[in-house]
Amino acid sequence: MIDAVRIRFTKLGKVRFVGHRDVARLFERALRKTDVRVAYTEGFSPRPKIAFGLALSTGHESLAEYLDIALPEDRDVDVSDLPGRLSPALPPGIDVVAAERVSAGDASLQEAVTSCTWRIEVVGIDGPTADRLVTSTLDAPELVLTRTRKGKEVTDDLRPAVLSLAVDGPTEGGMALLTELATQPRGVRPNELLQVLDADIEPGRVLRIAQWTTRDGVRGEPLARREDSSVVRPHAEPDPFLRGAPAVV
């Protein structure tokens, strides 16, 4: 019996301005519309048992978002059928690209993900400037940033959380950087990285390319299965920024 199903989905284009809670509602509606049976919470106002991974900031795009859907004990589901069923019931830009069975003993997405790979556009800079920013950042012994947490100002050194940083190439508006940022013990957001690079630079589009886990010392993704190239994506739109993004291998 399946305990839950984990799906991977995209969030691209105009739908990037839809907030996290609204995305959850869109999935609840899509599950009802496609008659995918899910488990519900108990109590006066039952809700579908859907658990999302790390929240994506409004305005950011992603090729690698995840959620877990709990299933009723008396219900099985054809996992291979889910991408083709759910994607047409979701708005343009949100497409389910893979699905996989998970058990109740697996770590939650919030606990399992240890880092994320990002593609960050920096507006109005050229290649040499981007190279200098990357070199100075990687050479820095510390990257100090003061940020507000629970109403209090906290000063952190972000350098240990910047696992990699490189220039990825030009975009229509400037240059793109490719970086892997740790999510534990304290996560670093792309805009926070840019603040310590140079407080005056202007961020452009931000794309989450991958989320990474470590199991028994082995690095991988929350889904063992790669994106299924046979899945039909009725919402795909040509986009120069996305065409420049490196493939996850």
Side-chain angles (χ1 to χ4, degrees), residues 121-124 194 198 200-204:
E121 182 183 33
V122 183
V123 177
L194 294 186
D198 184 337
D200 294 325
I201 60 177
E202 180 185 351

Side-chain angles (χ1 to χ4, degrees), residues 3 27-33 35-50 69-74:
D3 296 306
F27 269 97
E28 291 177 12
R29 186 176 65 182
L31 290 166
R32 290 195 302 269
K33 185 176 180 179
D35 196 30
V36 176
R37 290 275 305 280
V38 302
Y40 277 75
T41 61
E42 298 179 355
F44 180 74
S45 180
R47 302 288 300 177
K49 289 185 177 181
I50 300 175
I69 303 169
L71 302 174
E73 293 183 1
D74 61 346

Side-chain angles (χ1 to χ4, degrees), residues 7-12 15 27 62-65 82-84 86-98 227 231-237:
I7 70 171
R8 173 175 172 170
F9 65 96
T10 66
K11 188 181 181 185
L12 302 171
V15 77
F27 269 97
S62 179
L63 297 173
E65 295 304 288
L82 282 179
L86 289 174
S87 291
L90 291 161
I94 299 181
D95 285 294
V96 176
V97 295
E227 180 175 333
V231 174
V232 177
R233 295 175 182 77
H235 305 142
E237 298 177 359

Side-chain angles (χ1 to χ4, degrees), residues 54-65 113-121 161-168 176-183 187-191 193-194 205-212 219 241 245-246 248:
L54 301 176
L56 183 70
S57 297
T58 302
H60 292 180
E61 296 173 280
S62 179
L63 297 173
E65 295 304 288
V113 175
T114 56
S115 64
C116 295
T117 299
W118 299 89
R119 188 169 190 255
I120 307 170
E121 182 183 33
V162 182
L163 305 181
S164 68
L165 179 64
V167 177
D168 193 53
L177 304 178
L178 191 65
T179 184
E180 183 178 351
L181 302 176
T183 61
V188 176
R189 300 185 181 94
N191 66 316
L193 172 64
L194 294 186
R205 294 175 68 175
V206 177
L207 174 70
R208 178 147 62 189
I209 295 174
Q211 299 188 41
W212 301 106
R219 174 184 167 95
F241 183 72
V248 178

